[in-house]
Amino acid sequence: MDDALTAISEAFDERAATYDESTMHRDLAAAVAAFIETESLDDVLDVATGTGLVLRALAERAPDLHLIGADISPGMLAVARAELPTAEWLVADASRVPLPDGSVDLITCVTALHIIPDVERAAAEWHRLLRAGGRLVTASFVSTTSTAHAAHPPSPERPYPRDHEPYAGAAVLTATFAALGFVVWRHEEWSDGHDTLLIAELAPAA
């Protein structure tokens, strides 16, 4: 594991025990699950799954789905496994998921795009994993007049770089993913009154 991924893994291991205390993350997971059209889905992969909040919300809506969560933090996955033992949990980087080609109908990536060190390589992996007709659902922080969600270098609290700008709104997300071979089909904004996020559904370009 390279230095950036190690820093991310260690930082989220430290947050694992208290991560689910975030009302924003729990409510966002429910909103993402409600946004997803579950008809015709069999296999769902959540990359950078953390404690599995999105998959746990999906399991409540569609209990027959085969759910797979991948994350580089063993600590976060330990919480996820305890909360949803029926899912499959993989210690894996978003750009190197140990699954066969064309093995999932849906990939979700929620509040993680700004952290993934190489989104281009991750997107290539997601193309590989999606079946024909498959899609990608993301949730990313929207820019405001504040600088809270701009690009940031590593800090003691967050010892890894973060860059929200390529995903911080519908137009820029569309442009970013067009270069990565995805087309935005639909999107909506969600807010808890403090943070505003863009939830988007994308599909591989024809």
Side-chain angles (χ1 to χ4, degrees), residues 94-95 118-128 177 180-182:
S95 63
D118 190 340
V119 174
E120 182 176 358
R121 189 170 68 179
E125 178 75 336
W126 303 343
H127 278 284
R128 181 186 72 81
F177 273 93
L180 301 175
F182 283 90

Side-chain angles (χ1 to χ4, degrees), residues 22-167:
S22 167
T23 302
M24 187 279 283
H25 283 107
R26 295 197 312 270
D27 290 349
L28 174 62
V32 171
F35 177 85
I36 291 168
E37 297 173 348
T38 59
E39 298 81 4
S40 78
L41 295 181
D42 292 312
D43 303 286
V44 177
L45 168 66
D46 185 33
V47 295
T49 191
T51 61
L53 286 171
V54 170
L55 295 186
R56 285 147 62 181
L58 268 177
E60 292 183 3
R61 285 197 60 219
D64 293 332
L65 291 175
H66 174 218
L67 302 175
I68 309 164
D71 201 281
I72 59 171
S73 165
M76 298 288 267
L77 288 176
V79 175
R81 190 175 292 110
E83 293 292 334
L84 188 64
T86 55
E88 181 179 353
W89 304 105
L90 305 172
V91 179
D93 169 19
S95 63
R96 290 188 294 267
V97 181
L99 293 172
D101 294 358
S103 56
V104 297
D105 305 297
L106 174 71
I107 294 172
T108 55
C109 183
V110 174
T111 64
L113 288 171
H114 63 289
I115 298 173
I116 294 173
D118 190 340
V119 174
E120 182 176 358
R121 189 170 68 179
E125 178 75 336
W126 303 343
H127 278 284
R128 181 186 72 81
L129 292 168
L130 284 171
R131 294 184 178 123
R135 54 197 192 269
L136 167 68
V137 168
T138 64
S140 52
F141 290 94
V142 172
S143 287
T144 66
T145 53
S146 144
T147 59
H149 292 141
H152 295 287
S155 67
E157 183 182 359
R158 299 285 189 269
Y160 44 82
R162 293 157 286 150
D163 187 5
H164 294 270
E165 292 305 319
Y167 324 104

